[in-house]
PDB file of all heavy atoms in Angstrom:
ATOM      1  N   CYS A 141       8.193   7.987  20.302  1.00 98.00           N
ATOM      2  CA  CYS A 141       9.046   7.044  20.959  1.00 98.00           C
ATOM      3  C   CYS A 141      10.453   7.416  20.595  1.00 98.00           C
ATOM      4  O   CYS A 141      10.744   8.154  19.652  1.00 98.00           O
ATOM      5  CB  CYS A 141       8.754   5.599  20.600  1.00 98.00           C
ATOM      6  SG  CYS A 141       8.940   5.290  18.819  1.00 98.00           S
ATOM      7  N   ILE A 154      16.409  -1.043  20.131  1.00 98.00           N
ATOM      8  CA  ILE A 154      15.233  -1.700  19.579  1.00 98.00           C
ATOM      9  C   ILE A 154      14.343  -2.329  20.689  1.00 98.00           C
ATOM     10  O   ILE A 154      13.131  -2.192  20.667  1.00 98.00           O
ATOM     11  CB  ILE A 154      15.617  -2.836  18.569  1.00 98.00           C
ATOM     12  CG1 ILE A 154      16.528  -2.208  17.464  1.00 98.00           C
ATOM     13  CG2 ILE A 154      14.398  -3.507  17.972  1.00 98.00           C
ATOM     14  CD1 ILE A 154      15.846  -1.542  16.290  1.00 98.00           C
ATOM     15  N   ILE A 157      12.460   0.617  22.366  1.00 98.00           N
ATOM     16  CA  ILE A 157      11.415   1.197  21.500  1.00 98.00           C
ATOM     17  C   ILE A 157      10.249   0.169  21.455  1.00 98.00           C
ATOM     18  O   ILE A 157       9.077   0.574  21.462  1.00 98.00           O
ATOM     19  CB  ILE A 157      11.928   1.429  20.046  1.00 98.00           C
ATOM     20  CG1 ILE A 157      13.140   2.363  20.047  1.00 98.00           C
ATOM     21  CG2 ILE A 157      10.809   1.881  19.105  1.00 98.00           C
ATOM     22  CD1 ILE A 157      12.803   3.822  20.148  1.00 98.00           C
ATOM     23  N   ILE A 178       3.103   7.092  14.227  1.00 99.00           N
ATOM     24  CA  ILE A 178       4.156   6.967  15.242  1.00 99.00           C
ATOM     25  C   ILE A 178       5.301   7.878  14.828  1.00 99.00           C
ATOM     26  O   ILE A 178       5.648   7.958  13.617  1.00 99.00           O
ATOM     27  CB  ILE A 178       4.688   5.483  15.341  1.00 99.00           C
ATOM     28  CG1 ILE A 178       3.555   4.543  15.819  1.00 99.00           C
ATOM     29  CG2 ILE A 178       5.882   5.365  16.207  1.00 99.00           C
ATOM     30  CD1 ILE A 178       3.920   3.074  15.771  1.00 99.00           C
ATOM     31  N   ALA A 179       5.902   8.562  15.784  1.00 98.00           N
ATOM     32  CA  ALA A 179       7.090   9.390  15.467  1.00 98.00           C
ATOM     33  C   ALA A 179       8.290   8.769  16.178  1.00 98.00           C
ATOM     34  O   ALA A 179       8.307   8.709  17.425  1.00 98.00           O
ATOM     35  CB  ALA A 179       6.861  10.822  15.909  1.00 98.00           C
ATOM     36  N   TYR A 180       9.223   8.292  15.435  1.00 98.00           N
ATOM     37  CA  TYR A 180      10.459   7.781  16.024  1.00 98.00           C
ATOM     38  C   TYR A 180      11.447   8.965  16.151  1.00 98.00           C
ATOM     39  O   TYR A 180      11.856   9.528  15.143  1.00 98.00           O
ATOM     40  CB  TYR A 180      11.126   6.664  15.206  1.00 98.00           C
ATOM     41  CG  TYR A 180      12.519   6.425  15.633  1.00 98.00           C
ATOM     42  CD1 TYR A 180      12.811   6.114  16.965  1.00 98.00           C
ATOM     43  CD2 TYR A 180      13.620   6.494  14.726  1.00 98.00           C
ATOM     44  CE1 TYR A 180      14.131   5.917  17.361  1.00 98.00           C
ATOM     45  CE2 TYR A 180      14.928   6.321  15.165  1.00 98.00           C
ATOM     46  CZ  TYR A 180      15.190   6.036  16.476  1.00 98.00           C
ATOM     47  OH  TYR A 180      16.491   5.891  16.891  1.00 98.00           O
ATOM     48  N   GLU A 181      11.737   9.345  17.370  1.00 98.00           N
ATOM     49  CA  GLU A 181      12.597  10.502  17.643  1.00 98.00           C
ATOM     50  C   GLU A 181      13.685  10.130  18.639  1.00 98.00           C
ATOM     51  O   GLU A 181      13.473  10.164  19.848  1.00 98.00           O
ATOM     52  CB  GLU A 181      11.793  11.621  18.196  1.00 98.00           C
ATOM     53  CG  GLU A 181      10.726  12.138  17.275  1.00 98.00           C
ATOM     54  CD  GLU A 181      10.304  13.558  17.574  1.00 98.00           C
ATOM     55  OE1 GLU A 181       9.950  13.847  18.742  1.00 98.00           O
ATOM     56  OE2 GLU A 181      10.404  14.421  16.689  1.00 98.00           O
ATOM     57  N   PRO A 182      14.881   9.761  18.137  1.00 98.00           N
ATOM     58  CA  PRO A 182      15.970   9.473  19.057  1.00 98.00           C
ATOM     59  C   PRO A 182      16.284  10.723  19.837  1.00 98.00           C
ATOM     60  O   PRO A 182      16.430  11.837  19.263  1.00 98.00           O
ATOM     61  CB  PRO A 182      17.124   9.125  18.133  1.00 98.00           C
ATOM     62  CG  PRO A 182      16.750   9.506  16.732  1.00 98.00           C
ATOM     63  CD  PRO A 182      15.262   9.623  16.741  1.00 98.00           C
ATOM     64  N   THR A 194      20.604   7.926   7.892  1.00 96.00           N
ATOM     65  CA  THR A 194      19.418   7.370   7.232  1.00 96.00           C
ATOM     66  C   THR A 194      19.247   5.877   7.625  1.00 96.00           C
ATOM     67  O   THR A 194      18.137   5.406   7.861  1.00 96.00           O
ATOM     68  CB  THR A 194      19.670   7.440   5.705  1.00 96.00           C
ATOM     69  OG1 THR A 194      20.060   8.781   5.442  1.00 96.00           O
ATOM     70  CG2 THR A 194      18.444   7.171   4.940  1.00 96.00           C
ATOM     71  N   GLU A 195      20.421   5.167   7.704  1.00 97.00           N
ATOM     72  CA  GLU A 195      20.337   3.754   8.076  1.00 97.00           C
ATOM     73  C   GLU A 195      19.788   3.541   9.469  1.00 97.00           C
ATOM     74  O   GLU A 195      18.975   2.658   9.715  1.00 97.00           O
ATOM     75  CB  GLU A 195      21.731   3.091   7.957  1.00 97.00           C
ATOM     76  CG  GLU A 195      22.358   3.012   6.568  1.00 97.00           C
ATOM     77  CD  GLU A 195      22.781   4.401   6.022  1.00 97.00           C
ATOM     78  OE1 GLU A 195      23.145   5.314   6.796  1.00 97.00           O
ATOM     79  OE2 GLU A 195      22.736   4.593   4.771  1.00 97.00           O
ATOM     80  N   GLN A 196      20.293   4.381  10.406  1.00 97.00           N
ATOM     81  CA  GLN A 196      19.756   4.268  11.789  1.00 97.00           C
ATOM     82  C   GLN A 196      18.280   4.520  11.831  1.00 97.00           C
ATOM     83  O   GLN A 196      17.521   3.750  12.495  1.00 97.00           O
ATOM     84  CB  GLN A 196      20.500   5.255  12.710  1.00 97.00           C
ATOM     85  CG  GLN A 196      21.922   4.901  13.020  1.00 97.00           C
ATOM     86  CD  GLN A 196      22.648   6.065  13.743  1.00 97.00           C
ATOM     87  OE1 GLN A 196      22.313   7.272  13.551  1.00 97.00           O
ATOM     88  NE2 GLN A 196      23.588   5.741  14.590  1.00 97.00           N
ATOM     89  N   ALA A 197      17.840   5.540  11.130  1.00 98.00           N
ATOM     90  CA  ALA A 197      16.404   5.890  11.211  1.00 98.00           C
ATOM     91  C   ALA A 197      15.585   4.819  10.515  1.00 98.00           C
ATOM     92  O   ALA A 197      14.563   4.425  11.088  1.00 98.00           O
ATOM     93  CB  ALA A 197      16.205   7.253  10.485  1.00 98.00           C
ATOM     94  N   GLN A 198      15.959   4.348   9.361  1.00 98.00           N
ATOM     95  CA  GLN A 198      15.233   3.319   8.676  1.00 98.00           C
ATOM     96  C   GLN A 198      15.200   2.020   9.500  1.00 98.00           C
ATOM     97  O   GLN A 198      14.180   1.367   9.605  1.00 98.00           O
ATOM     98  CB  GLN A 198      15.859   3.042   7.260  1.00 98.00           C
ATOM     99  CG  GLN A 198      15.463   1.756   6.597  1.00 98.00           C
ATOM    100  CD  GLN A 198      13.959   1.539   6.411  1.00 98.00           C
ATOM    101  OE1 GLN A 198      13.198   2.533   6.377  1.00 98.00           O
ATOM    102  NE2 GLN A 198      13.552   0.304   6.251  1.00 98.00           N
ATOM    103  N   GLU A 199      16.341   1.657  10.141  1.00 98.00           N
ATOM    104  CA  GLU A 199      16.393   0.440  10.928  1.00 98.00           C
ATOM    105  C   GLU A 199      15.338   0.439  11.996  1.00 98.00           C
ATOM    106  O   GLU A 199      14.620  -0.543  12.235  1.00 98.00           O
ATOM    107  CB  GLU A 199      17.833   0.259  11.511  1.00 98.00           C
ATOM    108  CG  GLU A 199      17.949  -1.031  12.287  1.00 98.00           C
ATOM    109  CD  GLU A 199      19.129  -1.073  13.255  1.00 98.00           C
ATOM    110  OE1 GLU A 199      19.694   0.021  13.552  1.00 98.00           O
ATOM    111  OE2 GLU A 199      19.502  -2.172  13.694  1.00 98.00           O
ATOM    112  N   VAL A 200      15.274   1.529  12.759  1.00 98.00           N
ATOM    113  CA  VAL A 200      14.334   1.584  13.858  1.00 98.00           C
ATOM    114  C   VAL A 200      12.898   1.687  13.349  1.00 98.00           C
ATOM    115  O   VAL A 200      11.983   1.039  13.900  1.00 98.00           O
ATOM    116  CB  VAL A 200      14.681   2.699  14.860  1.00 98.00           C
ATOM    117  CG1 VAL A 200      13.648   2.724  15.989  1.00 98.00           C
ATOM    118  CG2 VAL A 200      16.078   2.539  15.408  1.00 98.00           C
ATOM    119  N   CYS A 201      12.689   2.475  12.310  1.00 98.00           N
ATOM    120  CA  CYS A 201      11.289   2.609  11.794  1.00 98.00           C
ATOM    121  C   CYS A 201      10.811   1.224  11.278  1.00 98.00           C
ATOM    122  O   CYS A 201       9.677   0.846  11.476  1.00 98.00           O
ATOM    123  CB  CYS A 201      11.207   3.666  10.706  1.00 98.00           C
ATOM    124  SG  CYS A 201      11.386   5.317  11.387  1.00 98.00           S
ATOM    125  N   LYS A 202      11.694   0.429  10.711  1.00 98.00           N
ATOM    126  CA  LYS A 202      11.315  -0.896  10.243  1.00 98.00           C
ATOM    127  C   LYS A 202      11.011  -1.794  11.443  1.00 98.00           C
ATOM    128  O   LYS A 202      10.041  -2.588  11.429  1.00 98.00           O
ATOM    129  CB  LYS A 202      12.441  -1.529   9.363  1.00 98.00           C
ATOM    130  CG  LYS A 202      12.071  -2.940   9.010  1.00 98.00           C
ATOM    131  CD  LYS A 202      12.995  -3.567   7.963  1.00 98.00           C
ATOM    132  CE  LYS A 202      12.466  -4.869   7.432  1.00 98.00           C
ATOM    133  NZ  LYS A 202      11.925  -5.784   8.452  1.00 98.00           N
ATOM    134  N   ALA A 203      11.818  -1.655  12.490  1.00 98.00           N
ATOM    135  CA  ALA A 203      11.586  -2.475  13.708  1.00 98.00           C
ATOM    136  C   ALA A 203      10.261  -2.116  14.321  1.00 98.00           C
ATOM    137  O   ALA A 203       9.544  -3.003  14.852  1.00 98.00           O
ATOM    138  CB  ALA A 203      12.733  -2.251  14.721  1.00 98.00           C
ATOM    139  N   ILE A 204       9.888  -0.834  14.236  1.00 98.00           N
ATOM    140  CA  ILE A 204       8.586  -0.415  14.801  1.00 98.00           C
ATOM    141  C   ILE A 204       7.489  -1.066  13.972  1.00 98.00           C
ATOM    142  O   ILE A 204       6.480  -1.597  14.461  1.00 98.00           O
ATOM    143  CB  ILE A 204       8.444   1.126  14.744  1.00 98.00           C
ATOM    144  CG1 ILE A 204       9.431   1.738  15.770  1.00 98.00           C
ATOM    145  CG2 ILE A 204       7.006   1.583  15.025  1.00 98.00           C
ATOM    146  CD1 ILE A 204       9.581   3.230  15.720  1.00 98.00           C
ATOM    147  N   ARG A 205       7.643  -1.030  12.645  1.00 98.00           N
ATOM    148  CA  ARG A 205       6.569  -1.637  11.775  1.00 98.00           C
ATOM    149  C   ARG A 205       6.506  -3.131  12.052  1.00 98.00           C
ATOM    150  O   ARG A 205       5.398  -3.684  12.094  1.00 98.00           O
ATOM    151  CB  ARG A 205       6.927  -1.320  10.285  1.00 98.00           C
ATOM    152  CG  ARG A 205       5.692  -1.467   9.407  1.00 98.00           C
ATOM    153  CD  ARG A 205       5.903  -1.064   7.907  1.00 98.00           C
ATOM    154  NE  ARG A 205       6.419   0.293   7.763  1.00 98.00           N
ATOM    155  CZ  ARG A 205       5.604   1.359   7.832  1.00 98.00           C
ATOM    156  NH1 ARG A 205       4.366   1.278   8.126  1.00 98.00           N
ATOM    157  NH2 ARG A 205       6.160   2.561   7.639  1.00 98.00           N
ATOM    158  N   ASP A 206       7.650  -3.793  12.214  1.00 98.00           N
ATOM    159  CA  ASP A 206       7.628  -5.212  12.514  1.00 98.00           C
ATOM    160  C   ASP A 206       6.898  -5.496  13.870  1.00 98.00           C
ATOM    161  O   ASP A 206       6.194  -6.461  13.972  1.00 98.00           O
ATOM    162  CB  ASP A 206       9.051  -5.769  12.628  1.00 98.00           C
ATOM    163  CG  ASP A 206       9.745  -5.814  11.239  1.00 98.00           C
ATOM    164  OD1 ASP A 206       9.011  -5.663  10.225  1.00 98.00           O
ATOM    165  OD2 ASP A 206      10.973  -5.940  11.198  1.00 98.00           O
ATOM    166  N   CYS A 207       7.132  -4.615  14.831  1.00 98.00           N
ATOM    167  CA  CYS A 207       6.499  -4.738  16.131  1.00 98.00           C
ATOM    168  C   CYS A 207       4.959  -4.604  15.987  1.00 98.00           C
ATOM    169  O   CYS A 207       4.222  -5.367  16.582  1.00 98.00           O
ATOM    170  CB  CYS A 207       7.034  -3.695  17.047  1.00 98.00           C
ATOM    171  SG  CYS A 207       6.461  -3.786  18.775  1.00 98.00           S
ATOM    172  N   ILE A 208       4.516  -3.663  15.157  1.00 98.00           N
ATOM    173  CA  ILE A 208       3.094  -3.477  14.919  1.00 98.00           C
ATOM    174  C   ILE A 208       2.537  -4.726  14.247  1.00 98.00           C
ATOM    175  O   ILE A 208       1.394  -5.194  14.559  1.00 98.00           O
ATOM    176  CB  ILE A 208       2.801  -2.233  14.099  1.00 98.00           C
ATOM    177  CG1 ILE A 208       3.202  -0.948  14.874  1.00 98.00           C
ATOM    178  CG2 ILE A 208       1.340  -2.151  13.639  1.00 98.00           C
ATOM    179  CD1 ILE A 208       2.374  -0.658  16.113  1.00 98.00           C
ATOM    180  N   ALA A 217       0.274  -3.168   9.964  1.00 98.00           N
ATOM    181  CA  ALA A 217       1.684  -2.651   9.893  1.00 98.00           C
ATOM    182  C   ALA A 217       1.889  -1.884   8.608  1.00 98.00           C
ATOM    183  O   ALA A 217       2.661  -0.909   8.580  1.00 98.00           O
ATOM    184  CB  ALA A 217       2.663  -3.823  10.050  1.00 98.00           C
ATOM    185  N   ILE A 220       0.005   1.737   8.949  1.00 98.00           N
ATOM    186  CA  ILE A 220       0.388   2.775   9.943  1.00 98.00           C
ATOM    187  C   ILE A 220       1.496   3.615   9.413  1.00 98.00           C
ATOM    188  O   ILE A 220       2.361   3.161   8.664  1.00 98.00           O
ATOM    189  CB  ILE A 220       0.796   2.026  11.283  1.00 98.00           C
ATOM    190  CG1 ILE A 220       0.784   3.053  12.422  1.00 98.00           C
ATOM    191  CG2 ILE A 220       2.134   1.401  11.177  1.00 98.00           C
ATOM    192  CD1 ILE A 220       0.884   2.463  13.817  1.00 98.00           C
ATOM    193  N   ILE A 222       4.778   5.992   9.941  1.00 98.00           N
ATOM    194  CA  ILE A 222       5.851   6.155  10.918  1.00 98.00           C
ATOM    195  C   ILE A 222       6.766   7.325  10.442  1.00 98.00           C
ATOM    196  O   ILE A 222       7.315   7.318   9.347  1.00 98.00           O
ATOM    197  CB  ILE A 222       6.718   4.855  11.039  1.00 98.00           C
ATOM    198  CG1 ILE A 222       5.762   3.662  11.397  1.00 98.00           C
ATOM    199  CG2 ILE A 222       7.811   5.038  12.052  1.00 98.00           C
ATOM    200  CD1 ILE A 222       6.474   2.289  11.403  1.00 98.00           C
ATOM    201  N   GLN A 223       6.866   8.304  11.332  1.00 98.00           N
ATOM    202  CA  GLN A 223       7.708   9.469  10.988  1.00 98.00           C
ATOM    203  C   GLN A 223       9.084   9.347  11.672  1.00 98.00           C
ATOM    204  O   GLN A 223       9.184   8.697  12.684  1.00 98.00           O
ATOM    205  CB  GLN A 223       7.058  10.768  11.556  1.00 98.00           C
ATOM    206  CG  GLN A 223       5.721  11.118  10.998  1.00 98.00           C
ATOM    207  CD  GLN A 223       5.106  12.295  11.720  1.00 98.00           C
ATOM    208  OE1 GLN A 223       5.137  12.388  12.975  1.00 98.00           O
ATOM    209  NE2 GLN A 223       4.516  13.177  10.970  1.00 98.00           N
ATOM    210  N   TYR A 224      10.040  10.058  11.098  1.00 98.00           N
ATOM    211  CA  TYR A 224      11.296  10.235  11.828  1.00 98.00           C
ATOM    212  C   TYR A 224      11.326  11.668  12.301  1.00 98.00           C
ATOM    213  O   TYR A 224      10.902  12.572  11.596  1.00 98.00           O
ATOM    214  CB  TYR A 224      12.507   9.970  10.874  1.00 98.00           C
ATOM    215  CG  TYR A 224      13.757  10.478  11.551  1.00 98.00           C
ATOM    216  CD1 TYR A 224      14.378   9.763  12.508  1.00 98.00           C
ATOM    217  CD2 TYR A 224      14.266  11.734  11.245  1.00 98.00           C
ATOM    218  CE1 TYR A 224      15.466  10.249  13.212  1.00 98.00           C
ATOM    219  CE2 TYR A 224      15.366  12.278  11.911  1.00 98.00           C
ATOM    220  CZ  TYR A 224      15.980  11.526  12.902  1.00 98.00           C
ATOM    221  OH  TYR A 224      17.027  12.004  13.605  1.00 98.00           O
ATOM    222  N   GLY A 225      11.862  11.865  13.500  1.00 97.00           N
ATOM    223  CA  GLY A 225      12.050  13.223  14.042  1.00 97.00           C
ATOM    224  C   GLY A 225      13.367  13.368  14.727  1.00 97.00           C
ATOM    225  O   GLY A 225      13.902  12.361  15.297  1.00 97.00           O
ATOM    226  N   LEU A 236      16.020  10.846   4.061  1.00 97.00           N
ATOM    227  CA  LEU A 236      15.247  10.239   5.112  1.00 97.00           C
ATOM    228  C   LEU A 236      13.856   9.777   4.627  1.00 97.00           C
ATOM    229  O   LEU A 236      13.471   8.638   4.860  1.00 97.00           O
ATOM    230  CB  LEU A 236      15.046  11.183   6.302  1.00 97.00           C
ATOM    231  CG  LEU A 236      16.271  11.442   7.211  1.00 97.00           C
ATOM    232  CD1 LEU A 236      16.034  12.677   8.073  1.00 97.00           C
ATOM    233  CD2 LEU A 236      16.568  10.222   8.095  1.00 97.00           C
ATOM    234  N   GLN A 239      13.151   6.549   2.501  1.00 97.00           N
ATOM    235  CA  GLN A 239      13.350   5.213   3.024  1.00 97.00           C
ATOM    236  C   GLN A 239      12.022   4.424   3.066  1.00 97.00           C
ATOM    237  O   GLN A 239      10.975   5.049   3.258  1.00 97.00           O
ATOM    238  CB  GLN A 239      13.912   5.264   4.445  1.00 97.00           C
ATOM    239  CG  GLN A 239      15.298   5.947   4.539  1.00 97.00           C
ATOM    240  CD  GLN A 239      16.297   5.289   3.618  1.00 97.00           C
ATOM    241  OE1 GLN A 239      16.621   4.135   3.730  1.00 97.00           O
ATOM    242  NE2 GLN A 239      16.801   6.093   2.676  1.00 97.00           N
ATOM    243  N   ALA A 240      12.101   3.155   2.909  1.00 98.00           N
ATOM    244  CA  ALA A 240      10.938   2.294   2.776  1.00 98.00           C
ATOM    245  C   ALA A 240       9.965   2.439   3.941  1.00 98.00           C
ATOM    246  O   ALA A 240       8.747   2.381   3.763  1.00 98.00           O
ATOM    247  CB  ALA A 240      11.360   0.862   2.643  1.00 98.00           C
ATOM    248  N   ASP A 241      10.505   2.592   5.149  1.00 98.00           N
ATOM    249  CA  ASP A 241       9.619   2.624   6.329  1.00 98.00           C
ATOM    250  C   ASP A 241       9.453   3.980   6.976  1.00 98.00           C
ATOM    251  O   ASP A 241       8.922   4.078   8.071  1.00 98.00           O
ATOM    252  CB  ASP A 241      10.132   1.549   7.321  1.00 98.00           C
ATOM    253  CG  ASP A 241       9.923   0.170   6.826  1.00 98.00           C
ATOM    254  OD1 ASP A 241       8.742  -0.218   6.719  1.00 98.00           O
ATOM    255  OD2 ASP A 241      10.908  -0.496   6.468  1.00 98.00           O
ATOM    256  N   ILE A 242       9.958   5.016   6.328  1.00 98.00           N
ATOM    257  CA  ILE A 242       9.808   6.378   6.874  1.00 98.00           C
ATOM    258  C   ILE A 242       8.749   7.143   6.099  1.00 98.00           C
ATOM    259  O   ILE A 242       8.938   7.362   4.894  1.00 98.00           O
ATOM    260  CB  ILE A 242      11.164   7.123   6.855  1.00 98.00           C
ATOM    261  CG1 ILE A 242      12.168   6.288   7.710  1.00 98.00           C
ATOM    262  CG2 ILE A 242      10.996   8.503   7.460  1.00 98.00           C
ATOM    263  CD1 ILE A 242      13.549   6.908   7.813  1.00 98.00           C
ATOM    264  N   ASP A 243       7.677   7.491   6.723  1.00 98.00           N
ATOM    265  CA  ASP A 243       6.507   8.075   6.051  1.00 98.00           C
ATOM    266  C   ASP A 243       6.353   9.549   6.328  1.00 98.00           C
ATOM    267  O   ASP A 243       5.253  10.071   6.397  1.00 98.00           O
ATOM    268  CB  ASP A 243       5.247   7.330   6.482  1.00 98.00           C
ATOM    269  CG  ASP A 243       5.333   5.845   6.318  1.00 98.00           C
ATOM    270  OD1 ASP A 243       5.790   5.405   5.239  1.00 98.00           O
ATOM    271  OD2 ASP A 243       5.023   5.059   7.238  1.00 98.00           O
ATOM    272  N   GLY A 244       7.493  10.216   6.508  1.00 98.00           N
ATOM    273  CA  GLY A 244       7.440  11.673   6.793  1.00 98.00           C
ATOM    274  C   GLY A 244       8.185  11.983   7.999  1.00 98.00           C
ATOM    275  O   GLY A 244       9.031  11.180   8.476  1.00 98.00           O
TER     276      GLY A 244
END
Side-chain angles (χ1 to χ4, degrees):
C141 60
I154 305 275
I157 302 280
I178 295 173
Y180 166 55
E181 299 203 304
T194 312
E195 293 71 30
Q196 286 171 329
Q198 162 59 21
E199 183 197 16
V200 179
C201 289
K202 177 170 190 316
I204 292 170
R205 201 174 302 284
D206 291 346
C207 183
I208 294 294
I220 197 166
I222 305 175
Q223 299 174 315
Y224 167 79
L236 284 165
Q239 298 305 299
D241 291 292
I242 303 181
D243 306 313

